[in-house]
Amino acid sequence: MRFLKALLICLSIFAGIFLVANVDKGIQREALDQVQVELSHQAALDGLKLDAVLQSVPGTSTAGPNLVNVPFGRVQDFITLLKANPYIVQARPVLVSPPKFTFRAYVYGLNQQVSQYLGGDLGTLTYKSTPTRAYPISELLPDMISRSLSYLIPGFLLSVVLGYGLAVLSAWKPRFGLVMDRGHALLLALPDFLVVVLFQFGAILLAKLAGHNVVLIMQFAGKTPLLIPLLTVSIMPALLLYGTLRIAVDREWQAAYIKTAYSKGLTSTATLLRHILRNTTADVLAVLPRAVTVCITALVMSEVMCGIFGLGGYALTPKMLLVTSLPTTCGILAAFALLAHGILHLLQRMLIVSTKEGA
Amino acid sequence: MKPTPDTYSPWRYRLAWGLLLLLVFLVFFGHHLMPYGIDPADRVNLMKGIDPATGKVKMLAPPFGPSWQHWLGTDHRGYDLLSLLLNGAKYTLGFAFFATAVRFLLALPGGLFSGATGRGRGVISFLNVVLSAVPPLVFIFPTLFGSAAFLSPDQTVVLLFAMIVCIGVPQIANQFANRSQFYAERLYIDAARTMGASTRGIVWRHILPHMRPELLFAFLSDFIGVLFLIGQLSILSVFLGGGETFMVDDGPPPVILYLTKNGEWGSLVAYGAKYIRSYWWLVAGAGVFFAGAVLILQFFSKELQRYLSSPAARHQAKPILQNRPLQAAVGGFSALCLAAVLLLPDHAPQQKNKDSAEAAGSPPPRTAAMPAFSSSAAALPSEDEIMRSEFQADATNFFQGLKTDWTLAAMELTSPPYNPSRKYETPKQPIPPFDQWIAAMKERNLSYSNIGKISDGPVIKTDWGAPIETKQVEVYMHGPDNREEIWTLYMNGKPREPNKIVSGKPLP
């Protein structure tokens, strides 16, 4: 039952991304059942009207002056057919102005998209330098995924180590904890994109002081920045984990069993390490899924700001002309998040002792 | 060893209120505090400064760094950044506030009733899991990235607003359903139910009053969350405050930017982040305002939490009519607002536009918000359209040359790639069949009208030996008495190559 529920959640998320990311397919910029044609001068010289010319193209009918009705969704096929007619100079789609959303077009667009996915077309990228060529994203995905994962996974692990380590240290040394709590409150108020900006500022200042580049801030000539994305990805989840653990440790300090432990002569360090940290595992595992989500958001932010050609930042690089693969890459990012949630859920089941009361 | 507990401090609480009121003041009266206007007439186009390349004093073009005249510097258009930011506060914070308010208006009734009755609990919980398991960006970004090119700016803002609201509703509903469920299990609710209270009565009269403090706290937290989301989306080029395109020519290639006209903070952050290496102040000012607003809200939220968790402080608070310090603070704040409205000039661009439009008797220009993408699924011209326009341009020039001067026409003839050892020279005299065409044009008084049907043409071998795949292009020639003739040109079918004319079909 749990497995089915998890499966349903995953399917809903992917379906949701698919449905909302393709909303533009329902916005009709061009009519899906009409074609605008222009008759050649030869037709005028031969005394032919549009009706007569269309008799040789089955499936079409006249919709108005220079307008031809064609079967729904087959505009491009019929443009090719009409262009092959010697009396038709030009055939082009009919522009809908202003563009409007229609449910029929949306359903048609979704069907087209599904057909493309089934045919292995996951979307394309077109660069400004080669505007006539669209590169399939499927060829670039392995590189993009490995590039993004190269700091997503280390960043997440670093965040766990930082958050957990600092929270334990703060609990162990209260004075240090006070300073950390202030810093935590301040940093938590900063949006992640400003954190990237601050890191980039720092790197620029460092470069000015040193007289040469110390920390790379943008992807350039095959060199990908590592430190700034890594820190950006790790800092927000670390703060989240730190805050949760601090609250959990505070709660545990008030528990009766801690007083019992003290009264039995256990030192505070031993109490912290043997009892409190063990009992806060549930809190840590409860907040980690949220930390994964924050990590992925930070990944997108850092990739965009550092100009990294990864899963999150490729669409906004200045060299890009047209991107049709965003639903695919957003789906992959969602898959990462869901995979991490699944692993963390398994860990929860393995590590947390059930405390249900018996009959 | 045990950390010091966070306790309520009246001074901190008052400071938090003071800062919050400052933010509110900024939202409502920011345009009165602007040192400069943000209309085209207020642009600073040139300013004396030290040229970083030569170290000499000369007149420089914007953007200008922070100075006594412009505390936060200017943008590329020469607008004062502080003025833009002060004017933009109401757009950013106002949008976030309304989005949060609508989220709560939609989520609260559903959540409370679901928690109290248990109906729809599963659906709310499921939607909450679905929407919170992945970052909201994966839903919002591709949607707006794909749609923005086809929607009007106002429609895009509505879509952005709708998405931000929809993403947040299940989470808030779930949160309050949990709380409502908690209160609904209390004994006094059972008692009320036994006495015949309806579900609506229980929710509004018994559960909701208990939740007022946490409601306020949750609203603030969500408001901050929406601000964060707006900031993140602005980095992804989805923002509210676009309005005009501006070409920045800092070096090749020139870049076209979508810049805010009203100073919306998200758009300024997005714009400034692109120039962090060259003009740090562009992002610094916007970043400080953004972070400052978030910090004030966080601080207020924290202090409010402390105040609400301190029963002593709440009991000590006097009623408003007896609370002299509170009355003085409210009076002072009102007087400050009044003074700002009466004494300080209103630099808001809409006001100026309205005044000038009224004076000129014409409607004010539309300054709609506009999200923008540097690259998106925008409607691009098809390859056919590009080819036709290239053919049209070349044919027009070619026939102009045929009519006036062959050397001009010869410039449109396709030529070999540059080779220093074998320099190609364009034909000095008209080549066949164009000599025949020139004679026909003169003899029958024909002039070029337009190109017609384009179809695949023959592969033609050029003088330098390279075969060229051509397109056969009908050319309409217009004569006196509306006489039409159709001639045929063979043009280079490769897109985006100059000098398209390869040859022509001899006239019968």
Side-chain angles (χ1 to χ4, degrees):
Chain A
M1 192 63 192
R2 275 185 184 172
F3 177 74
L4 277 179
K5 195 180 170 188
L7 195 67
L8 192 62
I9 288 170
C10 293
L11 283 177
S12 304
I13 288 171
F14 290 123
I17 292 173
F18 176 71
L19 290 177
V20 296
N22 287 300
V23 163
D24 61 305
K25 304 279 191 304
I27 302 168
Q28 269 189 291
R29 194 177 69 92
E30 293 169 351
L32 290 170
D33 54 0
Q34 283 189 336
V35 173
Q36 191 177 21
V37 293
E38 194 183 319
L39 291 183
S40 69
H41 283 218
Q42 195 62 53
L45 293 174
D46 294 352
L48 287 173
K49 293 267 166 88
L50 183 59
D51 284 333
V53 173
L54 290 181
Q55 279 175 0
S56 61
V57 187
T60 59
S61 61
T62 312
N66 293 338
L67 275 184
V68 178
N69 280 329
V70 298
F72 187 85
R74 296 193 57 201
V75 168
Q76 284 309 323
D77 298 343
F78 275 82
I79 282 178
T80 315
L81 271 177
L82 290 165
K83 276 184 174 176
N85 190 300
Y87 291 113
I88 293 173
V89 173
Q90 182 69 294
R92 60 170 80 92
V94 179
L95 294 182
V96 177
S97 183
K100 60 178 181 185
F101 182 89
T102 62
F103 195 69
R104 195 180 180 196
Y106 181 51
V107 173
Y108 171 75
L110 291 181
N111 283 334
Q112 293 282 100
Q113 193 66 49
V114 170
S115 313
Q116 281 182 17
Y117 285 154
L118 293 176
D121 178 4
L122 300 177
T124 56
L125 306 179
T126 309
Y127 295 91
K128 284 178 184 164
S129 54
T130 51
T132 51
R133 190 173 167 194
Y135 294 85
I137 190 82
S138 47
E139 289 174 8
L140 304 164
L141 271 179
D143 272 352
M144 287 162 73
I145 292 175
S146 63
R147 194 173 291 129
S148 293
L149 287 183
S150 69
Y151 40 84
L152 182 66
I153 293 173
F156 180 67
L157 295 176
L158 182 66
S159 73
V160 174
V161 172
L162 271 178
Y164 203 85
L166 289 173
V168 170
L169 203 61
S170 298
W172 192 35
K173 302 282 178 196
R175 280 174 191 275
F176 175 75
L178 275 178
V179 177
M180 276 305 301
D181 286 346
R182 299 274 184 277
H184 169 256
L186 183 73
L187 283 173
L188 207 60
L190 290 180
D192 39 16
F193 59 90
L194 281 179
V195 174
V196 190
V197 168
L198 287 177
F199 283 140
Q200 287 185 326
F201 264 134
I204 291 167
L205 282 177
L206 208 62
K208 280 187 177 167
L209 286 174
H212 58 86
N213 258 349
V214 181
V215 179
L216 198 61
I217 65 168
M218 296 290 278
Q219 181 169 328
F220 181 69
K223 288 184 180 172
T224 307
L226 176 68
L227 193 63
I228 291 178
L230 188 73
L231 288 176
T232 313
V233 166
S234 60
I235 200 156
M236 283 294 158
L239 290 172
L240 201 64
L241 187 58
Y242 174 87
T244 309
L245 205 56
R246 287 288 281 162
I247 292 168
V249 169
D250 266 6
R251 186 195 62 220
E252 293 298 316
W253 275 118
Q254 315 288 339
Y257 74 93
I258 297 294
K259 291 181 176 66
T260 312
Y262 270 133
S263 67
K264 291 204 169 192
L266 212 65
T267 63
S268 51
T269 307
T271 313
L272 178 71
L273 296 177
R274 285 191 196 172
H275 293 288
I276 292 178
L277 287 185
R278 270 188 205 177
N279 286 339
T280 54
T281 312
D283 298 270
V284 172
L285 288 175
V287 80
L288 279 180
R290 170 98 184 105
V292 170
T293 314
V294 173
C295 250
I296 290 173
T297 308
L299 166 92
V300 176
M301 290 296 106
S302 56
E303 283 191 348
V304 171
M305 295 200 64
C306 297
I308 298 170
F309 199 83
L311 284 173
Y314 74 99
L316 291 171
T317 51
K319 57 187 174 182
M320 212 57 80
L321 180 69
L322 186 69
V323 175
T324 62
S325 54
L326 261 183
T328 305
T329 45
C330 285
I332 293 172
L333 286 175
F336 285 163
L338 291 173
L339 185 68
H341 289 336
I343 293 169
L344 290 168
H345 182 72
L346 284 178
L347 279 177
Q348 271 177 341
R349 292 189 66 184
M350 283 163 61
L351 297 177
I352 296 170
V353 180
S354 174
T355 52
K356 272 185 194 167
E357 286 180 17
Chain B
M1 179 128 188
K2 201 177 155 202
T4 314
D6 283 342
T7 49
Y8 162 74
S9 150
W11 286 108
R12 275 206 312 256
Y13 185 59
R14 282 172 201 155
L15 177 66
W17 265 107
L19 289 170
L20 186 75
L21 287 177
L22 183 73
L23 206 61
V24 173
F25 183 75
L26 209 65
V27 169
F28 285 100
F29 303 104
H31 50 274
H32 284 281
L33 301 176
M34 290 157 62
Y36 300 95
I38 48 172
D39 284 301
D42 301 305
R43 288 180 179 182
V44 185
N45 294 322
L46 286 171
M47 215 168 148
K48 208 176 253 184
I50 298 168
D51 185 2
T54 59
K56 289 179 182 171
V57 175
K58 61 182 274 195
M59 296 304 280
L60 298 174
F64 305 116
S67 64
W68 285 113
Q69 289 93 352
H70 302 282
W71 291 359
L72 297 180
T74 73
D75 68 1
H76 275 91
R77 296 166 297 178
Y79 287 137
D80 180 58
L81 274 174
L82 179 61
S83 304
L84 279 171
L85 287 164
L86 286 170
N87 187 63
K90 56 176 167 283
Y91 294 97
T92 311
L93 297 174
F95 182 87
F97 181 84
F98 277 114
T100 314
V102 174
R103 275 180 172 194
F104 270 74
L105 280 176
L106 293 175
L108 202 59
L112 290 178
F113 276 91
S114 170
T117 60
R119 280 184 223 148
R121 192 74 194 81
V123 176
I124 291 177
S125 172
F126 181 79
L127 285 175
N128 173 47
V129 173
V130 166
L131 290 172
S132 58
V134 292
L137 290 184
V138 301
F139 290 108
I140 301 177
F141 180 46
T143 310
L144 282 155
F145 189 87
S147 312
F150 307 114
L151 296 176
S152 73
D154 290 341
Q155 286 171 328
T156 314
V157 171
V158 170
L159 183 62
L160 174 66
F161 186 84
M163 291 210 76
I164 289 178
V165 168
C166 291
I167 294 267
V169 166
Q171 292 175 29
I172 299 166
N174 188 56
Q175 183 185 347
F176 282 99
N178 282 338
R179 297 301 294 154
S180 175
Q181 193 177 3
F182 169 77
Y183 286 113
E185 287 164 2
R186 294 290 181 93
L187 201 58
Y188 67 87
I189 299 290
D190 284 342
R193 206 165 271 146
T194 313
M195 288 169 77
S198 65
T199 306
R200 192 196 293 176
I202 287 171
V203 167
W204 295 117
R205 288 195 185 163
H206 298 289
I207 296 179
L208 193 61
H210 276 90
M211 291 171 61
R212 267 187 213 144
E214 51 192 294
L215 196 65
L216 184 60
F217 178 67
F219 187 87
L220 276 172
S221 305
D222 201 54
F223 183 36
I224 294 166
V226 172
L227 270 179
F228 268 48
L229 188 56
I230 289 175
Q232 287 163 350
L233 287 169
S234 69
I235 292 296
L236 300 175
S237 296
V238 179
F239 47 75
L240 313 165
E244 65 176 336
T245 51
F246 187 80
M247 185 179 280
V248 175
D249 194 5
D250 277 350
V255 181
I256 292 175
L257 294 176
Y258 297 90
L259 292 179
T260 174
K261 271 180 158 176
N262 53 32
E264 197 272 319
W265 294 356
S267 58
L268 285 176
V269 167
Y271 153 63
K274 291 188 177 87
Y275 290 95
I276 188 170
R277 281 177 297 178
S278 354
Y279 312 113
W280 57 270
W281 61 88
L282 295 177
V283 70
V288 166
F289 267 66
F290 210 107
V294 173
L295 274 171
I296 287 173
L297 289 167
Q298 292 266 34
F299 181 56
F300 180 77
S301 162
K302 192 92 177 163
E303 288 308 311
L304 185 71
Q305 200 182 10
R306 283 175 179 151
Y307 172 77
L308 294 174
S309 61
S310 163
R314 292 172 68 186
H315 284 295
Q316 278 167 13
K318 292 177 185 168
I320 294 172
L321 289 175
Q322 293 167 22
N323 194 336
R324 294 271 173 87
L326 181 68
Q327 286 171 5
V330 171
F333 182 69
S334 307
L336 189 71
C337 296
L338 201 63
V341 174
L342 294 176
L343 301 177
L344 298 172
D346 183 358
H347 282 301
Q350 292 88 339
Q351 189 61 40
K352 276 194 176 179
N353 289 338
K354 201 177 160 193
D355 292 347
S356 57
E358 276 172 6
S362 59
R366 188 164 160 269
T367 52
M370 187 174 83
F373 295 106
S374 57
S375 57
S376 73
L380 296 173
S382 68
E383 280 306 303
D384 275 3
E385 285 166 339
I386 293 170
M387 185 168 70
R388 176 166 283 274
S389 65
E390 285 179 345
F391 284 176
Q392 260 170 343
D394 278 23
T396 307
N397 292 340
F398 182 69
F399 279 95
Q400 188 68 28
L402 287 188
K403 202 165 191 178
T404 54
D405 183 357
W406 166 252
T407 50
L408 291 177
M411 286 168 71
E412 299 299 330
L413 290 175
T414 194
S415 53
Y418 177 70
N419 184 348
S421 59
R422 290 177 61 190
K423 201 175 172 189
Y424 174 77
E425 284 190 0
T426 49
K428 298 272 190 272
Q429 295 299 320
I431 54 171
F434 300 127
D435 48 354
Q436 185 198 8
W437 285 23
I438 292 171
M441 283 169 78
K442 275 184 187 162
E443 188 186 318
R444 286 178 268 184
N445 198 13
L446 294 171
S447 59
Y448 165 77
S449 160
N450 199 356
I451 62 168
K453 192 172 175 60
I454 300 170
S455 51
D456 287 337
V459 177
I460 295 178
K461 202 165 183 186
T462 53
D463 294 345
W464 57 93
I468 292 182
E469 282 182 16
T470 63
K471 293 281 179 188
Q472 182 174 305
V473 182
E474 286 181 354
V475 179
Y476 298 145
M477 302 301 291
H478 191 75
D481 308 325
N482 285 333
R483 201 177 69 234
E484 292 275 0
E485 285 187 25
I486 302 173
W487 296 0
T488 304
L489 258 181
Y490 299 120
M491 301 178 84
N492 187 350
K494 271 194 174 175
R496 295 176 187 79
E497 278 194 5
N499 309 340
K500 295 270 181 203
I501 313 289
V502 179
S503 183
K505 198 173 183 178
L507 297 176

